[in-house]
Every structure is written in structure tokens, then in C-alpha cells.
Amino acid sequence: MLMKSPWEPWIAPGDEPVYQRLAAAIAEDLVNGKIAPGSRLPAQRDLSYRLGVGLGTVTKAYGLLARQGLASSFHGRGMFATNKILTTRKVVDLSLNVPPNVISEQLLSGTLASLATTMDADTFAACTFPKGTLDHRMAVAGWLQHYCTSADAERMIFCNGGQHALSTVLTALVAPNICLGTDDLPFPGLVRIAHLLGIDLIGIEADREGLLPDALERIACEVASTKKRLVLFINPTAQNPTGKTMSRSRIKDIAAICQREDILIIEDDVYAAFAARDRICFLDLAPERTYYINSFSKLLTPGLRLGVLIAPSHQLDNLVRVLRAQGATDSPISRLVVHKWIADGVASHISKSMSAEAIVRNKLAASIFASIGDAWIGSGYHMFLSMGNSAAVALANAARERRIMVTEPAVSLSSGNDQSGIRLCLGGPTRLELSAALREIAALQVQLGQGTKATAKDLGDNLNA
């Protein structure tokens, strides 16, 4: 006869689904030794009865533990904890800037099952072309018009994500002939692509509202004297990494300068869902010089590798040539899923759910960092702790020692500028994990002399250095 598990079951508090909180409670007790390595976990029906939850909830919790490598099922014997001695807790990743997952297994399996009945082998095996089919482009353009009224199917190209779209544009513009201007604390992905292509990057001074018009005009004059073309890369909403959002008036001022000084614009609008309702895009104001980028991996879910590029009409053929030379196209499955979700209204539902979840997570971050003046919290999937470079390096190292992964400290493009900071991504972890990790980071700031004493008091933390 199998012995009954001596473990006293509980469910972690929080707003996540019950099965996730049950799995989190079991994982926590594995780490703190309350569940011995290799011991048998309670039978599913017994645990369901003791906790007053459905049997399916326990089944999903055990399945999650198995996928995490924390438990294993043996036919006829039950579920057993891992034999590994867990002396450290699970890594919490605040370095990956992804939206919170609001997609259920039922929705995903139902979508794929539906596509299987409507897609034949010939369709799946056919080559995909960057422009896609007209009905797909029209569906995507119509949906994107909620965020950018000038989204246009005729000038649309599909790419394998937003970064692929950015790489394609910069490749088409020919590196030796351009200079790339952007925020002084730049988008990390842009830096990697620019270095790969040998493109010069120029930092432009900004305030809490984004790029300063006067600074852009000054840079434009300097670049003009070198006989190169200035290209402006800009995140108007929730700039990555700082989270800054430009006002409608600032966007108009920057667009007017670009038209006057003949500056090309690359508008990265992947956080469009968090913009104000009366927002305006650079594509609306200067379509003849704007390359507009969006991505369904940010708008809906990272699993959808479908980027959207809307470009000036006279550049479309050149961009298509680059895409064909690269041999990289978007996923046909992603394109079909997006088309179906738009048609069924699912895309709008997912977007609203993600926006609501982002609001909750940003409010959580704001409450934890309320006493820290240099915590920049916006409306997207990330926040930013502004500080000098040495302080940022120290905080990042201290966080990693506590198994909290953060992005590398931001590096200013202006020589001699010590301005830096740490981007904290809010979308990936569960709310429970996020709350605990943010509290530890806030307390670490106090320990390292970067926060205020009020913060430590508010948190009630007494972490050992």
C-alpha cells in the first residue's frame, strides 16, 4: 500500500489561475524542504478534496510541475517530486520583453483544429511571398487602423517579426549612405542590427516626453555636413528601454522637422495598444518618408511571428528584393492564425485582455517603487530604473545573484554621458513571481544606496547583503 503524503497542501495567494498558484505552492515547498526530494505527492482526488478545488485543477497543476521538471508521474504509483535537491529557487526572468500570456489552451487548440479543416496540403506547401494575399493584407490593415488610421494594405509587406522588418529596412537603405539617429538610450535590438550592418548610430537628447525637437534639428545639420542621409528610428509609445511616450504635439513637432530637413523615419509602433485614443502616428503625418513597423508577437502573443511593414510606395520593390535575397519570410501558420483571429473578433479580445493585464502589472510596479523618484513606469510591458552606469551594473549583478534576470544596463550613445539604467520587463512572469522579484529589486536599490529609506520601510524587507 502506498503511504499517504505527509505534506500539508496549500494554495499560494494571487490572481493567477488556481492551478498555477497550486503549482507555485508545491514548488516553493520543494525549495524550502517541506517536500522531500523523490517523495510522493498527494493523489489527485485526495488533493482535490482537501483543497476544495476541481480535479482538473490538480491535474493541470501536476502537469505544469512535470513540464518544469519538478515532478514525474509513474503509472499506477502516482506523482513524485523530483529527486534533485533544490537549494535555489526558480529563476524569474525580467529581461525578456514579452506580453503577458492571456491565451488559453482551449483557444489555441481550437484555432489550430479549425485551420486543419480549412487548409489543404497544397496551400501549406506553397511558397509564401512578402506581400501575402490581398485578403490577408486588407484584414490586417483594417485591424491596425484602430492604432494607426493610415495603415494601408497596398503598401504592406509581411515579415518574420518586428525586428526582421527593421533589419530589412536598414539593409535596403544601404549602410554607407546613412546615419541612424535615435534616443540617446537606444532600443537594444536596434543597436545589434546597426552594428551588424555597419551603420553609424547617433544619440539624440530626450526628456521624459521623448526626443527634443531642438536636439533633432542640431543633429540634422551635423549629418547634412557629412553628405549622408539622416534616418530617424523612433518608438513613439513606451520607448524601449525607457518606457517614455511622446505626446501628440511632440510627434507633430518631430514630424515637421523630418519633412523640413528631409529625414527618413522608421516608426516602431509595436506598443501601439498602449497609446492614447487620440494618438497620431508619423505614418499619418509623413507617409512619403515613413517606414511603419508593427508586430503581432507584441500585439497578441510571442508565438505569432508576423511582422508588418508599411513603406513608401516607391520603396516596396526594393524591400521585396531584400526579403527574397534573405530567404526569410513570415510563417504561413502565423499569417493564417492572425487572419482567423481578426475575422472572428478574437484578436480584439486578446488585445483588450492584454492591455487590462498590463495596467494591473504597471500599477503593481508603481506601488512597489512609489518612493523611488527615478523609476519610470509607463503603460507597456516594461519599466525603467534610471541611474548612472556603475550603479546599474551593480544592481544588475545583485539581482542575478538572487536569480532575477534583468536586461543589460542601458548604454548612452553620447560619449562621456554616464546616464544608464535597468529595464525591467513585466509581462513574462506570473503576478506572484513579478511582485516578489520587483520587491527584491526595490530593496536591493536601498541596500546599494540607490533608493530611499522610506522604500525599505514601506516594503518591510530585511534582505541580507
Side-chain angles (χ1 to χ4, degrees):
M1 178 181 294
L2 294 174
M3 296 290 292
K4 181 179 179 181
S5 169
W7 174 66
E8 288 298 324
W10 61 290
I11 297 175
D15 298 318
E16 291 81 3
V18 176
Y19 82 93
Q20 291 183 7
R21 293 190 282 124
L22 174 56
I26 295 172
E28 182 175 324
D29 285 350
L30 279 167
V31 171
N32 61 31
K34 292 182 179 180
I35 298 177
S39 62
R40 182 176 182 266
L41 297 178
Q44 293 188 26
R45 290 190 182 278
D46 175 54
L47 188 56
S48 169
Y49 175 76
R50 293 166 70 183
L51 291 174
V53 300
L55 179 60
T57 296
V58 178
T59 301
K60 290 179 71 174
Y62 278 6
L64 179 57
L65 290 168
R67 292 193 297 274
Q68 294 172 340
L70 299 179
S72 300
S73 176
F74 294 90
H75 183 68
R77 298 178 58 202
M79 181 69 73
F80 288 78
T82 177
N83 284 314
K84 298 177 183 177
I85 298 176
L86 302 178
T87 56
T88 55
R89 66 183 179 187
K90 175 185 175 183
V91 172
V92 179
D93 192 348
L94 303 184
S95 69
L96 193 60
N97 204 13
V98 295
N101 181 32
V102 298
I103 295 174
S104 68
E105 296 174 6
Q106 182 180 6
L107 171 62
L108 180 60
S109 61
T111 299
L112 296 177
S114 176
L115 289 179
T117 64
T118 58
M119 180 175 61
D120 57 32
D122 289 338
T123 301
F124 180 74
C127 290
T128 59
F129 296 98
K131 286 191 175 182
T133 62
L134 180 59
D135 60 329
H136 285 179
R137 283 185 282 123
M138 289 184 66
V140 169
W143 194 77
L144 285 179
Q145 284 168 7
H146 294 294
Y147 309 118
C148 179
T149 56
S150 296
D152 180 5
E154 292 299 321
R155 296 183 291 134
M156 182 181 295
I157 296 173
F158 291 128
C159 299
N160 190 24
Q163 292 230 158
H164 181 219
L166 174 58
S167 175
T168 299
V169 172
L170 292 177
T171 301
L173 290 177
V174 188
N177 301 326
I178 65 172
C179 280
L180 192 55
T182 189
D183 294 74
D184 194 47
L185 292 179
F187 168 43
L190 175 69
V191 175
R192 289 192 291 269
I193 294 172
H195 286 172
L196 183 65
L197 297 176
I199 299 174
D200 293 332
L201 276 171
I202 302 174
I204 302 174
E205 189 180 353
D207 60 14
R208 290 295 289 266
E209 198 181 317
L211 296 184
L212 290 168
D214 290 347
L216 175 60
E217 285 192 296
R218 184 173 63 254
I219 293 296
C221 291
E222 293 174 3
V223 172
S225 67
T226 68
K227 307 301 182 183
K228 288 190 175 184
R229 184 80 179 273
L230 180 60
V231 179
L232 178 66
F233 174 87
I234 196 160
N235 287 130
T237 301
Q239 190 265 344
N240 189 348
T242 65
K244 299 173 181 177
T245 293
M246 301 179 74
S247 68
R248 185 182 177 96
S249 61
R250 180 68 62 89
I251 290 173
K252 286 184 175 181
D253 290 343
I254 296 294
I257 294 171
C258 290
Q259 289 176 314
R260 185 168 62 248
E261 301 294 338
D262 195 24
I263 301 170
L264 297 179
I265 302 168
I266 301 176
E267 181 176 15
D268 185 349
D269 204 28
V270 296
Y271 303 113
F274 305 109
R277 290 186 178 181
D278 66 342
R279 57 125 35 172
I280 194 167
C281 294
F282 287 93
L283 184 66
D284 299 324
L285 297 171
E288 79 287 351
R289 64 185 61 253
T290 298
Y291 296 81
Y292 176 90
I293 294 172
N294 219 316
S295 173
F296 283 95
S297 65
K298 286 290 194 291
L299 291 169
L300 298 181
T301 177
L304 290 176
R305 302 303 305 167
L306 185 64
V308 177
L309 171 59
I310 300 174
S313 299
H314 65 279
Q315 286 294 332
L316 290 175
D317 290 343
N318 191 29
L319 291 165
V320 170
R321 279 195 294 270
V322 171
L323 285 169
R324 286 176 172 166
Q326 291 174 338
T329 61
D330 63 291
S331 162
I333 296 295
S334 289
R335 198 185 294 184
L336 290 169
V337 170
V338 167
H339 185 254
K340 176 173 175 55
W341 281 357
I342 289 175
D344 294 347
V346 173
S348 294
H349 174 74
I350 293 173
S351 180
K352 290 177 182 177
S353 298
M354 284 200 326
S355 295
E357 180 63 21
I359 289 172
V360 171
R361 291 174 181 242
N362 278 286
K363 285 182 177 178
L364 172 64
S367 67
I368 292 172
F369 290 94
S371 300
I372 298 179
D374 285 331
W376 300 352
I377 301 168
S379 57
Y381 307 132
H382 59 277
M383 60 172 286
F384 189 73
L385 298 176
S386 177
M387 62 193 75
N389 184 259
S390 60
V393 171
L395 180 59
N397 290 338
R400 291 186 190 109
E401 288 177 1
R402 296 185 180 277
R403 298 181 68 78
I404 302 172
M405 304 305 295
V406 299
T407 51
E408 293 295 323
V411 178
S412 171
L413 291 175
S414 300
S415 60
N417 188 348
D418 186 56
Q419 178 62 38
S420 182
I422 298 291
R423 183 190 70 179
L424 302 177
C425 302
L426 311 178
T430 66
R431 287 189 198 172
L432 283 172
E433 294 168 342
L434 179 63
S435 177
L438 292 181
R439 290 178 187 279
E440 285 212 45
I441 289 175
L444 284 172
Q445 281 197 283
V446 176
Q447 289 184 349
L448 296 170
Q450 301 166 10
T452 65
K453 291 183 179 180
T455 305
K457 182 179 179 182
D458 292 341
L459 294 174
D461 289 326
N462 185 23
L463 303 174
N464 296 321

